[in-house]
Amino acid sequence: MKSIKLLSFLLFVSLYVSAQTELPVSAVFQQTYQKGTRSKNGKPGKNYWQNTAKYNLKVDFNPATRLLKGKVDVLYTNNSPDTLKEIWFKLYPNLYKKGVPRKSKIAESDQGEGVVIRKLMANGKENSHFNIDGTNMTLAVPPVLPGKTIVFSINYDYTLNKGSHIRTGQVDEGSHFVAYFFPRIAVYDDVDGWNKYPYTGAEEFYNDFDEFNVDITVPGGFGVWATGDLKNTAEVYQQDIVSRIAQAEKNDAVIDVITDQDLTTKKVTLPKAFNTFKFEAKNVTDFAFALSDHYLWKSTSLIVDPVTKRRTRVDAVFNPKHKDYYEVIDFARKTVYAMSYQFPKWPFPYSHETIFDGLDQMEYPMMVNDNPVDNREDAITLTDHEIFHTMFPFYMGINETKYGWMDEGWATIGEWLISPMIDSSIVDEYGIQPTASSSGSHDDTPIMTLTPDLKGSGSFTNSYPKPGLAYLFVKDYLGDELFTKALHHYIRNWNGKHPMPYDFFFSMNEGSGKNLNWFWKSWFFEGGVLDLAIKSVNKTTAGYQVTVENKGTKALPIDLELIYTDGSRERKHANIGVWEKGDKQVQLEISTIKKLSKVVMGNPHTPDKVKSDNSFSVN
């Protein structure tokens, strides 16, 4: 018989200590509590609001010249208590405009005029009072009172980039992924007002939940895949393709919607000079589309909500030369299943998910743009990571521009947990070693550091593995059932809205019934080294006492491998709760009659900067 006692933890649950820990809430968030738009229990306040828009887009895209001509009609509703005298727009394609400041490298051949505004109307009157500054455009308007609307109509065009593919652009001579392709109104929220951050190619996005009706006209022979539901399938695809799509939408089996033979015989789209694909998407944060004249299409669907029996269609659209993509449909389907039933155990929220064979590793509502990879494990981890973004940021409306960790951290833990569900041989250690080695360095700033202010290695670790590890450790501490309850509480509070960091922290506290501020404070608001050490191993009358020292500032789980002189081995685990009182050392009691030879500490998902003190030989 063997057992382990956590002496420093089992004395009592230190509710008093954790209750005394207060998170440093900045003045701008304190104001939201005073205004009643947010609350200290993590829920939206009684005065919470957010603005909305309805976009009608008509796009004509020429794959040969990459010229995109568009017209956007948008009805914008001011639900705020403020009178708006100017409207801020985002012109994301201006990342490729000559002279625009950017963090990403753009080849000179891809730098051009950017978005050209041919005509701009506001409430039916031509308006030339706009100023374009990089990826931001400001427009003076007649005052838009609270609760009132304003209508814009904008004719514009720009040339899609051929190279320097940053989340959008030409993939090959017959394939393109087109994102951020229209002038869109920036977020105006209760925290910052207008989102004025420019798009530099590094930080990601922050958008309102809007409604889109989009007509995309392309030459005959090109299929189009997009955010939202295709409303005129029979008007653009040939009958066999239409039938296969319908079959896939109600079938668990994988259906070959577009085959090699269909491409060879040119029996994909209707034989017209041009086809217009009509899509509709409601309550989504963005709209993207992709097109190709030579890609295969595999499709399947599954029930994601056992109560309503609602199904989600999953598509893989890819170049037949990329052999790794033939399995992507399976990886994608299993990811959607895992998200719906295992983690986070929330029915996949959208009607379809398309994984498109592109040149990036980027997510969009109902779409993924993933490059081909060399091995199966990379294909799995890439696929599930990007699909997991469906929940964060898209279902939850995260402000990625400022708080990249609020979505990338979740995609990272999603990747860690779901990849072994797809292939049990995978031990995904994405970002663990960089987190350990960079901890305590000049780039190791607190996770709460705004994303645009991150430097060096911190640009990666603060957004991806560090928050992912924090979520993982809280999951371990609370247990699967309570963690899921708390996470669902957060999701129910904020899906379709704009949660900020404190909304997450306080929602998790309330949802779990535990004050986790002691953990949030050290992990998210403080820097410091991540380092555990085995201090000593001493013989006791009942077995052994292992003393573990926390040389850093953050709570880490403890995983011990006990190696006995008879060759047997045993693993023992202690969650972050052992550090809840602020102790720097804990004693773990090992009850055994066997003779201990060696103790080794470590886990693939526990970052530890100095590993030389992680083993202890017992005399």
Side-chain angles (χ1 to χ4, degrees):
M1 178 179 178
K2 305 179 184 72
S3 64
I4 184 169
K5 297 179 181 178
L6 310 180
L7 295 183
S8 68
F9 182 59
L10 294 182
L11 293 174
F12 60 91
V13 178
S14 54
L15 291 175
Y16 176 79
V17 174
S18 61
Q20 304 313 300
T21 303
E22 295 288 340
L23 300 185
V25 181
S26 61
V28 67
F29 287 107
Q30 294 281 8
Q31 290 171 9
T32 67
Y33 305 143
Q34 295 165 9
K35 292 184 294 186
T37 56
R38 296 169 194 264
S39 60
K40 293 182 180 180
N41 63 6
K43 293 179 180 178
K46 63 179 182 179
N47 297 326
Y48 179 79
W49 56 266
Q50 61 195 67
N51 291 348
T52 59
K54 294 182 179 180
Y55 289 87
N56 286 310
L57 289 160
K58 295 186 184 300
V59 174
D60 188 322
F61 181 69
N62 185 336
T65 63
R66 306 185 315 284
L67 179 64
L68 185 148
K69 295 181 179 179
K71 180 183 180 185
V72 53
D73 295 318
V74 54
L75 172 68
Y76 183 66
T77 301
N78 177 23
N79 294 314
S80 81
D82 306 322
T83 297
L84 304 179
K85 297 181 180 180
E86 65 176 6
I87 304 293
W88 284 64
F89 283 80
K90 296 296 181 181
L91 302 179
Y92 292 125
N94 276 358
L95 178 70
Y96 293 89
K97 185 177 181 179
K98 288 182 179 178
V100 168
R102 60 181 73 89
K103 293 181 181 178
S104 300
K105 292 183 179 180
I106 303 293
E108 188 173 346
S109 59
D110 271 317
Q111 298 180 33
E113 289 184 273
V115 178
V116 179
I117 304 296
R118 300 295 179 182
K119 187 176 183 181
L120 193 156
M121 308 277 287
N123 281 345
K125 296 182 179 180
E126 191 159 357
N127 190 322
S128 60
H129 303 294
F130 62 87
N131 177 62
I132 297 176
D133 181 12
T135 57
N136 285 331
M137 179 174 76
T138 53
L139 174 66
V141 295
V144 185
L145 300 176
K148 299 301 181 180
T149 63
I150 186 169
V151 177
F152 297 100
S153 181
I154 305 173
N155 293 73
Y156 70 99
D157 57 69
Y158 76 95
T159 300
L160 186 73
N161 51 297
K162 183 175 183 178
S164 307
H165 190 114
I166 301 172
R167 305 180 177 126
T168 183
Q170 178 171 310
V171 178
D172 59 33
E173 287 301 323
S175 307
H176 301 74
F177 198 100
V178 187
Y180 326 121
F181 61 92
F182 59 97
R184 68 164 305 142
I185 299 177
V187 175
Y188 184 83
D189 67 23
D190 63 312
V191 178
D192 297 318
W194 289 110
N195 173 28
K196 299 179 180 181
Y197 284 93
Y199 174 47
T200 68
E203 303 83 14
E204 295 182 7
F205 307 94
Y206 181 36
N207 297 316
D208 277 321
F209 286 86
D210 297 320
E211 181 178 321
F212 295 90
N213 287 281
V214 185
D215 293 357
I216 303 168
T217 300
V218 295
F222 282 86
V224 177
W225 298 265
T227 301
D229 299 318
L230 181 61
K231 309 304 290 185
N232 65 332
T233 310
E235 296 176 9
V236 291
Y237 286 117
Q238 297 200 21
Q239 185 55 49
D240 283 349
I241 306 299
V242 175
S243 298
R244 293 171 196 164
I245 295 172
Q247 186 181 5
E249 289 179 340
K250 56 185 178 182
N251 203 314
D252 288 354
V254 174
I255 306 298
D256 289 310
V257 178
I258 297 178
T259 66
D260 285 307
Q261 185 176 0
D262 296 325
L263 294 170
T264 301
T265 58
K266 300 186 183 302
K267 291 186 177 180
V268 177
T269 61
L270 291 179
K272 302 177 184 177
F274 297 93
N275 284 303
T276 298
F277 293 74
K278 298 178 181 292
F279 293 92
E280 179 183 86
K282 295 181 179 180
N283 203 34
V284 295
T285 59
D286 205 356
F287 190 99
F289 71 93
L291 65 153
S292 178
D293 62 358
H294 62 278
Y295 272 21
L296 302 179
W297 180 1
K298 291 181 178 289
S299 186
T300 182
S301 67
L302 67 153
I303 294 174
V304 295
D305 188 337
V307 176
T308 64
K309 305 300 181 184
R310 179 174 60 82
R311 300 183 77 92
T312 288
R313 193 186 79 232
V314 182
D315 301 323
V317 182
F318 59 98
N319 190 324
K321 294 179 180 179
H322 297 152
K323 301 306 178 186
D324 63 304
Y325 248 94
Y326 285 83
E327 277 194 282
V328 164
I329 187 66
D330 180 55
F331 306 152
R333 189 184 198 279
K334 288 178 177 176
T335 299
V336 172
Y337 177 88
M339 290 174 63
S340 300
Y341 295 99
Q342 293 165 293
F343 183 79
K345 292 185 180 179
W346 190 275
F348 196 83
Y350 301 121
S351 58
H352 73 82
E353 181 75 11
T354 301
I355 295 81
F356 191 83
D357 180 0
L359 294 176
D360 214 302
Q361 302 184 349
M362 186 62 191
E363 69 281 355
Y364 317 78
M366 306 185 211
M367 297 282 286
V368 167
N369 176 12
D370 277 351
N371 58 279
V373 293
D374 294 330
N375 63 71
R376 189 172 186 270
E377 180 174 335
D378 287 347
I380 291 172
T381 57
L382 175 57
T383 300
D384 58 33
H385 181 107
E386 302 305 340
I387 293 176
F388 202 89
H389 277 298
T390 297
M391 293 296 297
F392 311 91
F394 300 128
Y395 192 56
M396 299 295 289
I398 302 297
N399 184 347
E400 303 171 274
T401 305
K402 291 177 67 176
Y403 309 109
W405 59 268
M406 290 186 72
D407 77 299
E408 292 296 355
W410 284 110
T412 301
I413 186 179
E415 173 188 331
W416 289 337
L417 295 177
I418 292 175
S419 296
M421 297 178 191
I422 298 173
D423 185 336
S424 60
S425 69
I426 293 177
V427 179
D428 187 357
E429 302 178 38
Y430 176 64
I432 306 299
Q433 185 53 45
T435 300
S437 59
S438 66
S439 68
S441 70
H442 65 283
D443 290 335
D444 181 36
T445 55
I447 294 175
M448 281 290 287
T449 305
L450 296 184
T451 300
D453 296 333
L454 296 175
K455 307 292 183 184
S457 60
S459 298
F460 168 68
T461 57
N462 264 27
S463 297
Y464 293 80
K466 278 172 65 177
L469 287 166
Y471 306 148
L472 189 68
F473 297 159
V474 171
K475 181 175 182 291
D476 178 43
Y477 170 67
L478 295 178
D480 288 349
E481 184 176 348
L482 187 56
F483 179 81
T484 300
K485 178 184 175 183
L487 180 56
H488 284 191
H489 183 71
Y490 169 52
I491 293 172
R492 277 190 290 269
N493 280 347
W494 289 100
N495 79 80
K497 303 179 180 69
H498 293 311
M500 299 297 170
Y502 299 98
D503 304 317
F504 165 68
F505 298 137
F506 298 150
S507 283
M508 292 294 289
N509 287 358
E510 184 180 75
S512 66
K514 291 181 177 292
N515 190 322
L516 299 167
N517 287 352
W518 65 274
F519 180 79
W520 304 135
K521 188 173 186 295
S522 65
W523 260 92
F524 288 86
F525 293 84
E526 299 172 359
V529 173
L530 298 169
D531 188 17
L532 295 180
I534 300 177
K535 189 74 171 177
S536 63
V537 179
N538 296 309
K539 188 75 175 70
T540 66
T541 56
Y544 294 87
Q545 184 185 77
V546 180
T547 299
V548 177
E549 179 183 8
N550 190 341
K551 292 186 172 182
T553 59
K554 294 177 171 57
L556 294 166
I558 300 171
D559 287 274
L560 302 178
E561 183 178 29
L562 310 172
I563 305 170
Y564 295 98
T565 55
D566 63 2
S568 62
R569 295 170 182 249
E570 184 181 6
R571 292 188 178 276
K572 296 297 181 182
H573 173 75
N575 65 48
I576 56 172
V578 298
W579 309 109
E580 186 170 348
K581 291 194 301 178
D583 297 330
K584 298 303 292 181
Q585 292 185 7
V586 295
Q587 288 76 42
L588 310 181
E589 295 290 336
I590 311 298
S591 179
T592 181
I593 60 174
K594 290 185 177 184
K595 187 175 181 180
L596 196 57
S597 171
K598 190 176 185 179
V599 180
V600 179
M601 181 171 60
N603 181 284
H605 288 106
T606 301
D608 198 320
K609 186 163 188 171
V610 180
K611 295 183 173 60
S612 58
D613 51 15
N614 286 6
S615 63
F616 197 100
S617 296
V618 183
N619 296 325

